Amino acid sequence: PAPAAPRQPLPQPPAPPQLPQVPQPPPLQQLQSAAPSLVQEPQTPDEVLHALRVSGVQAGLERHWEQVKHLHSKEQFSLAQIAWIFDQCRRVPSLRHAGAKPRRPGVLVDDEEVFRPLGARVVQLFTNFVCARIPELTPDQITCFIEALTSQALPMDEFWLFMLAKRVQDTASQFNAEQIASIARRYSDKSLEDDEF
């Protein structure tokens, strides 16, 4: 028989195309340092305000409410920071009803606060602190608190509004015309004006 022909080697398949490199996600530690307010509880009032900016005031307050109360109990929020929170709150009408848990017959809870809407909790938390410092408020802060407390988002606190009205009367020359007009309109809309104001 004839000798067998040498076997020809099989052709090599073409090399697979190079796939683009997929970037690896950064390690958790790097994420925590880049955005602490998204990963861990804010530790200072500035971090709370940052978290509210990032998440939105309603989601941020709901998520960090216990920490807000804790920081406030140590009087760590400044009047300017509280005014900023109220300014943000007045823009979110859903706060008037958000966050309140429905009552269930026969179920006892340790804290009645859970049944109050988030807007009411914000007002109640800061009322005494701010009212005790009315003379320290700037005209901008007073105007902000009045606009917030007469907005659709927060409940009216008539005592607080009365204290603010007295301060406006006593220091009217420090307010500009736009602030006075806004304040007067807010009190009038809520039928809170009297013969002196």
Side-chain angles (χ1 to χ4, degrees), residues 40-191:
Q40 62 192 19
E41 196 68 31
Q43 299 301 307
T44 67
D46 283 335
E47 288 179 9
V48 168
L49 268 53
H50 175 71
L52 299 185
R53 285 187 194 98
V54 170
S55 304
V57 71
Q58 181 174 327
L61 285 172
E62 286 176 340
R63 184 175 301 129
H64 303 296
W65 182 249
E66 291 304 316
Q67 185 66 356
V68 170
K69 288 196 315 183
H70 172 71
L71 291 170
H72 177 65
S73 72
K74 296 183 171 187
E75 297 190 352
Q76 292 194 13
F77 286 98
S78 69
L79 290 170
Q81 290 168 328
I82 296 169
W84 184 88
I85 291 170
F86 273 70
D87 185 55
Q88 298 305 302
C89 286
R90 75 183 176 91
R91 303 166 195 271
V92 186
S94 59
L95 285 178
R96 184 173 284 273
H97 303 290
K101 293 186 178 177
R103 290 184 185 271
R104 293 185 187 157
V107 177
L108 299 175
V109 295
D110 293 334
D111 189 356
E112 288 287 314
E113 180 185 75
V114 298
F115 301 122
R116 288 190 209 103
L118 193 55
R121 284 185 265 155
V122 170
V123 172
Q124 186 173 29
L125 181 67
F126 292 110
T127 295
N128 292 339
F129 182 84
V130 177
C131 284
R133 293 162 178 79
I134 295 282
E136 300 172 35
L137 296 174
T138 67
D140 283 340
Q141 291 167 351
I142 290 173
T143 305
C144 172
F145 284 123
I146 290 170
E147 289 177 348
L149 291 168
T150 56
S151 71
Q152 295 298 313
L154 302 176
M156 278 197 316
D157 183 314
E158 292 193 23
F159 175 73
W160 192 347
L161 286 165
F162 172 77
M163 298 282 289
L164 291 170
K166 292 300 290 178
R167 184 65 180 166
V168 172
Q169 283 180 294
D170 295 343
T171 60
S173 62
Q174 296 177 16
F175 292 80
N176 64 39
E178 185 179 329
Q179 289 168 330
I180 293 291
S182 174
I183 291 167
R185 183 171 55 254
R186 293 293 185 140
Y187 278 86
S188 175
D189 289 348
K190 296 293 182 178
S191 302

Side-chain angles (χ1 to χ4, degrees), residues 11-24:
Q12 293 292 323
Q18 288 289 338
L19 295 174
Q21 288 289 336
V22 177
Q24 293 298 313

